[in-house]
Amino acid sequence: MRALILGAGGMLGHDLVRTAPRIDLQPLTRQQLDITDTAALARRVTELRPDVIVNAAAYTAVDRAEAEREQAFRVNAEPVGELGRIAARTGARVVHFSTDYVFDGTASEPYREDSPTKPVNAYGESKLAGEEALKTSGADWLIIRTQWLFGVNGKSFPRTMSERARGGLATKVVHDQTGRPTYSHDLAAAMWTLIAKETRGVIHLANDGQATWFDVATRVFARAGRPELLTACSTADFPTPARRPTYSVLATSRLEEPGVRMPPWQQAVERFLEELLEDPLV
């Protein structure tokens, strides 16, 4: 199998390369191939003739997207549809990553793959538009929705919490937003399994268990031996340009079909911290 990875230089892209099986892998960073350059994208796909195209390229600045809505759609929406049309012409399957932010967060139980979508911010709207563009492109596709991503190769909430705890900084963290923290390493490894199982359609993929941001921070500060530095607060105490879903837990029961088991988020955070502390410069 030959696989092309777009956005290979990002946090998720880095782990997609690191966890890849022994295949003909073609990882390209944004500097090597910008997904918004559709002419270059078509040329490279035609040259490489991949069996699978994994799209890890995305605009992820949630708050900035409120002021840069056009840019968010330019990366997260239109090029995804074009990628699908290119893939359809060359016979490639597209694996695309999406987000819990396609939901409004007003549910009282985890969101299923077929739950009604209703984004509450520009970022979520752009990601949902990308999903719809891929679905109607004519390509063979798999859309993986995930959430609360963290990894060693980039900025993330657990990394920031670790830096603040080790720096002795008093920190307030919201306790009224609930989701499923997901380690990019685990997400990447599971994606390769889904590809091998030829999974298609929309599937939710996240580490096991749910938590608030305060729960995650509590674990990180305890690991650093500085729990006294942490205080809980509400979302109202920290207004942001973009609204966040209050409860956006993804239901992952569909993972049982291909037999994918994701580790608990607590274990994932511990492994992340171990790797981060082994090499704090990553």
Side-chain angles (χ1 to χ4, degrees):
M1 180 178 72
R2 174 174 292 177
L4 170 61
I5 298 178
L6 302 175
M11 179 168 61
L12 177 56
H14 175 268
D15 282 332
L16 289 170
V17 174
R18 192 164 63 151
T19 61
R22 291 191 175 185
I23 58 174
D24 182 354
L25 191 65
Q26 302 289 330
L28 296 176
T29 65
R30 181 169 60 86
Q31 290 71 29
Q32 293 171 312
L33 181 60
D34 190 329
I35 193 173
T36 63
D37 187 343
T38 54
L41 183 62
R43 284 196 303 271
R44 189 60 68 94
V45 172
T46 301
E47 291 169 3
L48 295 175
R49 308 295 294 190
D51 301 296
V52 177
I53 303 171
V54 180
N55 182 30
Y59 178 107
T60 59
V62 176
D63 286 322
R64 205 163 66 234
E66 295 300 303
E68 297 180 355
R69 180 183 178 87
E70 185 176 330
Q71 176 63 12
F73 274 78
R74 188 179 298 125
V75 177
N76 292 342
E78 293 95 344
V80 180
E82 186 59 32
L83 174 62
R85 288 184 284 275
I86 294 168
R89 292 196 297 269
T90 58
R93 181 167 27 139
V94 177
V95 179
H96 175 67
F97 289 92
S98 191
T99 173
D100 59 313
Y101 279 25
V102 300
F103 299 113
D104 64 9
T106 61
S108 58
E109 59 184 20
Y111 287 94
R112 295 164 47 91
E113 286 83 357
D114 58 357
S115 295
T117 54
K118 188 180 179 182
V120 295
N121 56 47
Y123 167 72
E125 290 173 357
S126 72
K127 292 298 288 183
L128 181 59
E131 288 189 15
E132 297 302 324
L134 180 58
K135 290 177 182 178
T136 59
S137 67
D140 183 9
W141 54 269
L142 169 64
I143 293 172
I144 299 174
R145 291 188 187 133
T146 191
Q147 63 183 140
W148 291 26
L149 202 62
F150 62 92
V152 296
N153 193 56
K155 296 179 180 179
S156 67
F157 178 77
R159 177 191 283 269
T160 299
M161 292 301 100
S162 179
E163 291 171 350
R164 292 187 67 85
R166 286 182 285 135
L169 300 176
T171 302
K172 291 185 178 181
V173 175
V174 297
H175 63 84
D176 53 359
Q177 294 176 27
T178 305
R180 294 178 67 160
T182 304
Y183 191 15
S184 57
H185 181 277
D186 294 344
L187 175 64
M191 184 215 70
W192 291 115
T193 299
L194 294 177
I195 289 176
K197 299 279 188 177
E198 298 191 349
T199 306
R200 288 167 171 79
V202 179
I203 194 164
H204 291 171
L205 185 52
N207 278 106
D208 192 39
Q210 64 185 48
T212 66
W213 290 117
F214 183 74
D215 292 333
V216 178
T218 297
R219 198 164 194 89
V220 176
F221 274 78
R223 173 67 181 268
R226 301 303 306 270
E228 75 283 357
L229 293 173
L230 188 63
T231 305
C233 67
S234 69
T235 299
D237 294 327
F238 280 95
T240 57
R243 285 180 57 198
R244 262 69 170 177
T246 301
Y247 179 91
S248 60
V249 176
L250 297 177
T252 57
S253 56
R254 201 190 158 204
L255 290 177
E256 296 173 5
E257 298 170 20
V260 174
R261 291 179 178 273
M262 292 289 281
W265 70 264
Q266 298 93 330
Q267 182 193 107
V269 168
E270 290 296 327
R271 287 186 286 118
F272 163 77
L273 292 173
E274 288 172 10
E275 187 168 1
L276 190 65
L277 294 175
E278 285 175 5
D279 187 359
L281 296 179
V282 295

